[in-house]
Amino acid sequence: MSSSRMHLAAFVTAGPGRPGGWRYPGSVPGWLSAGYYQNIARTLEDARFDLAFFADILSVPDRFGGSPDTQLRNGALGSMRLDPLHVLSSMGAVTSHLGLAATVSTTYAQPFTVARSFATLDHLTEGRAAWNVVTSFQESEARNFNRDEQFPREQRYERADEFLEVAGKLWDSWEDDALVLDTEQPLFADPDRVHPIRHKGDWFTVQGPLNVPRPPQGYPVVIQAGASAKGKDFAARWSDVIFCSHASLESAQDFYKEIKERAAAHGRDPEAVKILPSIAPVVGATTAIAQQTFEELFDLVPPLGGLSTLAYHLDVDLSTFPLDERLPDVEVPGVEGHYQEVREMTEREGLTLRELGKRYGGRVEGGFIGTATEVADGLEEWFGRGACDGFMVQAPYQPGGFEDFTRHVVPELQKRGLFRKDYEGSTLRENLGLPRVQSGEWANRVRRAAEAAR
Amino acid sequence: MSSSRMHLAAFVTAGPGRPGGWRYPGSVPGWLSAGYYQNIARTLEDARFDLAFFADILSVPDRFGGSPDTQLRNGALGSMRLDPLHVLSSMGAVTSHLGLAATVSTTYAQPFTVARSFATLDHLTEGRAAWNVVTSFQESEARNFNRDEQFPREQRYERADEFLEVAGKLWDSWEDDALVLDTEQPLFADPDRVHPIRHKGDWFTVQGPLNVPRPPQGYPVVIQAGASAKGKDFAARWSDVIFCSHASLESAQDFYKEIKERAAAHGRDPEAVKILPSIAPVVGATTAIAQQTFEELFDLVPPLGGLSTLAYHLDVDLSTFPLDERLPDVEVPGVEGHYQEVREMTEREGLTLRELGKRYGGRVEGGFIGTATEVADGLEEWFGRGACDGFMVQAPYQPGGFEDFTRHVVPELQKRGLFRKDYEGSTLRENLGLPRVQSGEWANRVRRAAEAAR
């Protein structure tokens, strides 16, 4: 841990949420209405969460059997997703401190559009915008964007590097004091402090300037989940916040150490990179109630729902294997970490593929099931033993899971002095303990990287 | 007019507004904050406006002298623009009936992204989304999106036709009742009612389905400003609402008649196409106060601000002509209607180019300057004599101009039975008197057009 207090982010889904969670009693099916997300936003802000985070995907995944049907039928993770940026704007309208993070792909968007979008969100929310950078890895996403197949991973990351370089240049294209607003002269904006960027690269040619003044935070907070070697390096170079998934405290500690070292190797302050493992705590008034809740939630996980999501996470068509046998060894082009996780589950618990689907869909990252005290004990241990700077909290069912956590676990963490009782600042960077980004910061990082490569 | 009541839209700017308007006393420079737009939204909804509309541009225009400096210095129309979609989401959060229209270009975006974005906005606002379709025509926009120069107009419109065709297919890819939400079976969405679109065209290849259920309105309301022959035909084929700019009642009548005929030629009900000329009324307690207000506003228009905006509207570098002589005859690749307007102004009033810049920037479309009664008389005449179905109301200064209009002119229109006192429905289509769009509507239009072309 790099500070005495942890940071808490909420992993919200602009759709039915975790596998089977939509079937849990009281899981209001309000995913299409603004009020549903605004209520979650109020709950999180009342509890002083750092930020609400939305993952995203640009298709209904069809990696299971070449068809989206299994995802749709089971209300699996990719079955339905609203555009997270609009959801965030709605949430921003009813909150004043909560950070707002949306996933946007660098593979299927343009830097001018994305830089402008986050600059706008950062202005409208007075410095609370965050961008989760992904490169997308589903063939079904490529096929929604004029391609028969996606770019290879190496190319996607090259594009992402250049995308972020261009975004930084666009945010810097207005100096901080460029907007003068002198009605007398008149001088609205000082042209000497607004600069074309004239970027010409392998992927993008962008003249600039942006048509939005520099964002309140300088740049929005940048988030990334990097599991592959390439991903970890990308995250260490660019990210303010990194989220990850670990089956054990030990693997979280290893990851934490490695990322902080990589960040330092990029000339960055390791304290300025916050690492938040994903957890899906199930909280109850007693241990037995929490366990019972977990079991009932587990019962609701449709095996093929979990399996079709695993298929897209691994990027392997799992429909081609017998459901009542074990998953054989396979080549995994997708998320390597998830494959290790399910290999271990299969071996340890002797699961068939069908059982694995349910087990994967119903898994509780971090394994935190218990009373508020027990869950807080677990979080305190991870935090205290150098496994993280805080947590990315998933709700086992939405929105109730967030209420369980904020009403019971957060007060316990506050009592122990492990979590804030009041926001430290007004912008997300201030609350994360990160400095406002000075103009030219990313250009400098790109320059250092180029020098190091020589 | 196609109904006894007119429709009112507000032309809001996510930036400094009309030329010089930002210099008018009381024009709070709040263009970067959500509260500023939310207050405008409340004002418009209290007055029962049909919708708030945001124009857009994807660059700071540099058509005047090859540099954005003149736009920036003068706070001209393109100097600064927030991303309108986020502004709308913020406004949607504090209103329940006001329609919300954003401009998105078909030339620099992808149909999957845009269809999803408007479907999301339509869900979050329960049926209040509208899309103003533009093809963009500034070289400076092309240069922010990897191109040295833009596509020729013909190609931009071909792309736009296919873009809308794909968007319609994506909105239709979920049948209206596809979301079942049966927690028992379980059956989240019925795969038999969600369909890949498998579009393969000249510009786009999109597999689908969309990952958002069909929007509440079927399709969002589609808006277009078509001035060229190509544009008028495009608007008559696709648009629910058309906005336009006319110097005289007669030209508005001609345009109205022509568009309704073109819509009928496309097999559409002419009543289902609403035509709203742009006006910028200046309202005062007495005629003399209104005139004085107009003159003071006019004084604040920076000549080069107006001229640099005219340069981008005409797509002609006006910096190459002497400022103290008349504008000579020029080739105009941009908006033909604006050129005719400024030719007439130049001839009639004997203006130098510098004077024309001020005159163009400070012009009051429709010429409505006076008391609420006088302005209402003018609007009633246009509406009653078949020039329009209502108006696109600009504020001569923002946000005060909207308050002047809604507090004084709207009650006068209501008294005369020309404008609603209460919303007729809950969706924008209902308030515009347009039916919800049935699945397949656009596919049918495309088929009819193809048959007609044979």
Side-chain angles (χ1 to χ4, degrees):
Chain A
M1 59 168 185
S2 60
S3 128
S4 63
R5 292 212 170 136
M6 58 176 69
H7 298 282
L8 292 177
F11 187 102
V12 195
T13 308
R18 285 176 61 89
W22 64 279
R23 302 173 67 194
Y24 192 74
S27 294
V28 191
W31 323 291
L32 296 175
S33 85
Y36 176 83
Y37 299 103
Q38 290 170 334
N39 284 339
I40 293 176
R42 288 191 194 94
T43 299
L44 298 172
E45 181 159 287
D46 286 348
R48 308 294 183 249
F49 261 60
D50 290 80
L51 62 99
F53 171 96
F54 286 85
D56 198 34
I57 182 168
L58 298 170
S59 66
V60 182
D62 60 4
R63 204 64 188 89
F64 190 82
S67 144
D69 291 8
T70 316
Q71 286 276 308
L72 292 165
R73 184 174 291 117
N74 294 292
L77 213 54
S79 56
M80 191 217 100
R81 290 279 180 99
L82 297 182
D83 182 332
L85 278 160
H86 297 301
V87 176
L88 286 187
S89 292
S90 302
M91 293 169 90
V94 299
T95 50
S96 58
H97 287 79
L98 184 68
L100 303 160
T103 299
V104 176
S105 170
T106 52
T107 302
Y108 302 112
Q110 289 294 323
F112 191 90
T113 311
V114 175
R116 186 175 179 226
S117 187
F118 280 101
T120 298
L121 186 66
D122 207 44
H123 280 294
L124 291 177
T125 62
E126 299 178 70
R128 298 189 280 141
W131 172 20
N132 179 45
V133 181
V134 298
T135 65
S136 307
F137 67 98
Q138 292 296 299
E139 295 291 342
S140 56
E141 297 177 284
R143 289 193 298 263
N144 285 335
F145 290 89
N146 311 319
R147 298 185 59 82
D148 290 330
E149 54 185 35
Q150 56 184 333
F151 296 107
R153 180 185 293 185
E154 190 73 23
Q155 284 185 34
R156 294 201 309 272
Y157 274 100
E158 280 170 16
R159 181 181 162 112
D161 271 327
E162 191 181 326
F163 197 112
L164 268 70
E165 181 184 347
V166 177
K169 288 178 181 176
L170 287 168
W171 289 321
D172 292 339
S173 67
W174 288 59
E175 295 180 25
D176 283 316
D177 54 0
L179 203 60
V180 180
L181 300 179
D182 178 340
T183 56
E184 283 306 311
Q185 290 201 45
L187 187 63
F188 179 78
D190 182 352
D192 294 338
R193 288 178 261 175
V194 182
H195 313 282
I197 67 168
R198 298 196 183 88
H199 176 89
K200 273 189 201 302
D202 294 332
W203 291 88
F204 304 109
T205 304
V206 180
Q207 177 170 276
L210 198 61
N211 52 355
V212 177
R214 197 153 191 268
Q217 299 186 100
Y219 307 161
V221 168
V222 171
I223 306 181
Q224 227 254 341
S228 66
K230 189 83 192 142
K232 278 189 270 199
D233 198 60
F234 183 89
R237 176 188 293 187
W238 295 109
S239 300
D240 301 302
V241 173
I242 292 171
F243 80 96
C244 45
S245 177
H246 297 287
S248 72
L249 172 60
E250 292 67 33
S251 80
Q253 288 170 319
D254 292 345
F255 181 84
Y256 187 85
K257 189 155 168 288
E258 182 185 351
I259 292 286
K260 297 272 173 165
E261 284 168 3
R262 281 183 193 250
H266 281 290
R268 301 182 62 199
D269 174 6
E271 302 263 318
V273 181
K274 306 296 181 187
I275 299 174
L276 310 182
S278 182
I279 58 170
V282 182
V283 188
T286 66
T287 311
I289 292 173
Q291 187 60 36
Q292 179 70 18
T293 305
F294 166 72
E295 281 164 22
E296 296 200 10
L297 279 162
F298 188 79
D299 279 347
L300 295 174
V301 177
L304 294 186
L307 212 53
S308 68
T309 297
L310 181 59
Y312 93 71
H313 285 167
L314 302 184
D315 199 13
V316 171
D317 183 0
L318 298 176
S319 79
T320 60
F321 302 105
L323 280 172
D324 295 310
E325 297 177 15
R326 289 199 190 181
L327 174 67
D329 289 341
V330 287
E331 280 277 327
V332 169
V335 184
E336 184 63 32
H338 286 316
Y339 182 55
Q340 289 168 14
E341 203 179 336
V342 298
R343 293 297 312 164
E344 284 171 26
M345 280 178 191
T346 299
E347 295 306 319
R348 195 173 54 236
E349 304 170 32
L351 304 172
T352 66
L353 191 57
R354 188 195 309 275
E355 289 163 343
L356 179 65
K358 195 175 183 78
R359 179 70 179 77
Y360 182 73
R363 79 198 185 287
V364 168
E365 288 90 335
F368 301 109
I369 302 172
T371 62
T373 308
E374 288 164 348
V375 171
D377 287 346
L379 303 188
E380 182 167 6
E381 185 185 12
W382 280 47
F383 182 63
R385 291 182 55 192
C388 63
D389 299 302
F391 299 93
M392 177 73 82
V393 182
Q394 298 194 40
Y397 59 103
Q398 201 173 278
F402 290 121
E403 287 153 25
D404 295 342
F405 188 86
T406 57
R407 273 193 317 204
H408 303 297
V409 181
V410 167
E412 182 62 30
L413 295 172
Q414 289 171 328
K415 207 169 70 185
R416 301 182 189 189
L418 289 167
F419 189 60
R420 68 168 71 84
K421 290 184 174 165
D422 243 314
Y423 286 106
E424 296 85 5
S426 65
T427 71
L428 177 56
R429 284 190 181 274
E430 285 167 3
N431 288 316
L432 286 170
L434 302 173
R436 181 169 189 277
V437 183
Q438 296 309 304
S439 199
E441 167 65 27
W442 281 4
N444 291 337
R445 275 190 221 168
V446 171
R447 202 173 308 123
R448 279 198 303 267
E451 284 165 11
R454 248 185 256 128
Chain B
M1 63 171 182
S2 60
S3 129
S4 64
R5 292 213 171 136
M6 58 177 69
H7 297 282
L8 293 178
F11 188 103
V12 195
T13 308
R18 284 176 61 88
W22 64 278
R23 302 173 65 194
Y24 191 75
S27 295
V28 192
W31 321 293
L32 296 175
S33 86
Y36 176 85
Y37 300 103
Q38 291 171 334
N39 283 339
I40 293 176
R42 289 190 193 95
T43 299
L44 297 172
E45 182 159 287
D46 286 347
R48 307 294 183 248
F49 260 60
D50 289 79
L51 63 98
F53 171 96
F54 285 86
D56 199 33
I57 183 167
L58 298 169
S59 65
V60 181
D62 60 3
R63 204 63 188 88
F64 191 82
S67 144
D69 291 6
T70 317
Q71 286 276 308
L72 292 165
R73 185 175 289 118
N74 294 291
L77 214 52
S79 56
M80 190 218 101
R81 290 279 179 99
L82 297 182
D83 182 333
L85 278 160
H86 297 300
V87 176
L88 287 186
S89 291
S90 303
M91 292 168 90
V94 298
T95 52
S96 58
H97 288 80
L98 184 68
L100 303 161
T103 299
V104 175
S105 170
T106 53
T107 302
Y108 303 113
Q110 289 294 322
F112 191 90
T113 310
V114 175
R116 185 175 180 227
S117 185
F118 280 101
T120 297
L121 186 65
D122 207 44
H123 280 293
L124 291 177
T125 61
E126 298 178 73
R128 298 190 280 140
W131 172 21
N132 179 45
V133 180
V134 298
T135 65
S136 306
F137 68 99
Q138 292 296 298
E139 296 291 342
S140 55
E141 296 177 286
R143 289 194 298 262
N144 285 334
F145 290 88
N146 310 320
R147 297 186 58 83
D148 289 331
E149 54 185 35
Q150 57 183 331
F151 296 107
R153 180 186 293 185
E154 191 72 26
Q155 285 185 33
R156 294 201 309 271
Y157 275 100
E158 281 170 16
R159 179 181 164 114
D161 272 326
E162 192 182 325
F163 197 112
L164 268 71
E165 182 185 348
V166 177
K169 288 179 181 175
L170 287 168
W171 290 320
D172 292 339
S173 66
W174 288 59
E175 295 180 25
D176 282 318
D177 54 0
L179 203 61
V180 180
L181 299 179
D182 179 339
T183 56
E184 281 307 311
Q185 289 201 46
L187 187 62
F188 180 78
D190 182 353
D192 294 338
R193 288 178 261 175
V194 181
H195 313 284
I197 68 168
R198 296 195 186 89
H199 177 89
K200 273 190 202 301
D202 295 331
W203 291 88
F204 304 110
T205 303
V206 180
Q207 177 170 276
L210 199 61
N211 53 354
V212 176
R214 197 155 192 270
Q217 298 185 101
Y219 307 162
V221 168
V222 171
I223 307 181
Q224 227 254 339
S228 66
K230 188 84 192 143
K232 277 189 272 200
D233 198 61
F234 182 90
R237 176 188 293 185
W238 296 110
S239 299
D240 302 301
V241 173
I242 292 171
F243 80 96
C244 45
S245 176
H246 296 289
S248 73
L249 171 60
E250 292 68 33
S251 81
Q253 288 169 319
D254 292 346
F255 181 84
Y256 187 86
K257 192 158 167 287
E258 182 185 350
I259 293 285
K260 297 272 173 164
E261 285 168 4
R262 282 184 192 251
H266 282 290
R268 301 182 60 199
D269 174 6
E271 303 262 318
V273 181
K274 306 297 180 187
I275 299 174
L276 310 182
S278 180
I279 57 170
V282 182
V283 189
T286 66
T287 312
I289 291 173
Q291 187 61 36
Q292 178 70 19
T293 305
F294 165 72
E295 281 164 23
E296 295 200 11
L297 280 162
F298 189 78
D299 279 347
L300 295 175
V301 178
L304 294 186
L307 211 53
S308 67
T309 297
L310 180 61
Y312 95 71
H313 285 166
L314 302 184
D315 199 11
V316 172
D317 183 0
L318 299 176
S319 79
T320 60
F321 302 104
L323 280 172
D324 294 309
E325 298 177 16
R326 289 196 190 182
L327 174 67
D329 290 342
V330 287
E331 280 279 328
V332 169
V335 185
E336 184 63 31
H338 285 316
Y339 183 56
Q340 288 166 17
E341 203 180 337
V342 297
R343 291 300 309 165
E344 284 170 28
M345 280 178 191
T346 300
E347 294 308 319
R348 198 173 53 237
E349 303 172 29
L351 304 172
T352 65
L353 191 58
R354 188 196 310 274
E355 288 164 345
L356 179 65
K358 194 175 182 81
R359 180 70 180 75
Y360 182 74
R363 77 197 186 287
V364 168
E365 287 91 335
F368 302 109
I369 301 171
T371 63
T373 309
E374 288 165 346
V375 170
D377 287 348
L379 303 187
E380 182 167 7
E381 185 185 13
W382 279 48
F383 182 64
R385 292 181 58 190
C388 63
D389 298 302
F391 299 92
M392 177 74 81
V393 182
Q394 299 194 38
Y397 60 105
Q398 202 173 276
F402 290 121
E403 286 153 25
D404 294 342
F405 188 87
T406 56
R407 273 193 316 204
H408 303 296
V409 180
V410 166
E412 182 62 31
L413 295 171
Q414 289 171 329
K415 207 169 72 185
R416 301 181 188 189
L418 290 168
F419 190 60
R420 70 168 69 84
K421 289 184 174 165
D422 243 314
Y423 286 105
E424 295 85 6
S426 67
T427 70
L428 176 57
R429 285 190 180 275
E430 286 166 4
N431 288 315
L432 285 170
L434 302 172
R436 182 169 188 277
V437 183
Q438 297 308 304
S439 200
E441 166 66 26
W442 281 4
N444 290 336
R445 274 190 221 170
V446 170
R447 199 174 308 121
R448 280 200 302 269
E451 282 164 14
R454 248 186 254 127

